[in-house]
Amino acid sequence: MPPAKTSYVCLPCRASYKQPYDGDHERRCPRCARPLLHVGSAFAPPKRRDTAGWRVLSLLLNAGVRFHKSCCGGPGYRPRTLSEVRERMAYAKATGEPFARALVRHEVP
């Protein structure tokens, strides 16, 4: 059976690639030759022209949030807009909760 496919992203090129996951070897972007980020198999990329969507994705990935399948089949909640990210950042700052954990909160109290 072939290895499962997972997604890799190049943030500068705003490109996503589904490739077989076969370990931790470094993959490079075919456009710019920079290293690709492994984002997980439950990833759905924003459209290339969606600047705000790619900015949100960049914030999530740089905080360590990935898109791996969970027991329920998907990665769980991920913010899609900058206002959702700002809301969670303010919550994390006010409460001391780690940024990555605040970002994946479905509801902010």
Side-chain angles (χ1 to χ4, degrees):
M1 180 149 93
K5 294 223 176 191
T6 189
S7 292
Y8 294 86
V9 167
C10 179
L11 292 172
C13 293
R14 295 185 189 168
S16 172
Y17 305 95
K18 283 268 190 198
Q19 298 179 356
Y21 182 74
D22 54 0
D24 288 333
H25 79 279
E26 185 176 278
R27 295 176 187 266
R28 297 232 166 232
C29 176
R31 291 173 162 215
C32 68
R34 291 183 181 148
L36 293 171
L37 296 172
H38 178 226
V39 294
S41 59
F43 176 70
K47 295 194 183 292
R48 188 168 281 136
R49 285 183 242 146
D50 181 3
T51 304
W54 280 94
R55 186 165 178 212
V56 168
L57 177 62
S58 178
L59 289 167
L60 291 172
L61 295 177
N62 286 318
V65 176
R66 297 297 187 260
F67 297 81
H68 298 287
K69 291 180 182 176
S70 68
C71 64
C72 301
Y77 173 79
R78 301 293 185 264
R80 291 189 169 264
T81 65
L82 289 172
S83 64
E84 289 174 337
V85 169
R86 281 189 206 104
E87 180 181 38
R88 281 151 182 79
M89 286 173 65
Y91 175 78
K93 188 174 183 179
T95 63
E97 182 172 38
F99 187 47
R101 191 175 323 155
L103 280 172
V104 297
R105 276 186 167 277
H106 191 34
E107 298 284 328
V108 178

